[in-house]
Amino acid sequence: DGTIERLPNQLRLADFGAALVQRLREGRALRVEDSRLDPVTIEAAAALEGIGARAFVSAPLFKDGRFAV
């Protein structure tokens, strides 16, 4: 029916790969069409797919000039 399970209340950003975290810390948005093929997410494809995020868009959030998670 196209529905997905509810996400946990908290997720650890580090679980989704060092390359993804680095990209966001640099202030760069991320658009992923397939986490299994994208060089930024390929190392964490299983973790991303585990939360139903094979394709997604992510934008970094900064507060007072610092990366905020």
Side-chain angles (χ1 to χ4, degrees):
D1 68 2
T3 60
I4 62 170
E5 291 184 34
R6 186 179 176 105
L7 291 175
N9 288 335
Q10 292 185 353
L11 297 169
R12 288 174 14 124
L13 192 57
D15 290 344
F16 303 109
L20 182 146
V21 174
Q22 182 61 34
R23 175 94 171 236
L24 295 174
R25 284 187 181 279
E26 291 171 354
R28 298 167 57 203
L30 183 61
R31 186 193 87 210
V32 176
E33 292 182 27
D34 189 331
S35 60
R36 300 168 303 170
L37 304 175
D38 192 291
V40 175
T41 57
I42 198 164
E43 73 178 78
L48 288 162
E49 196 158 336
I51 62 165
R54 184 179 292 173
F56 63 94
V57 175
S58 184
L61 174 64
F62 287 83
K63 186 173 183 178
D64 298 324
R66 296 182 58 181
F67 181 63
V69 177

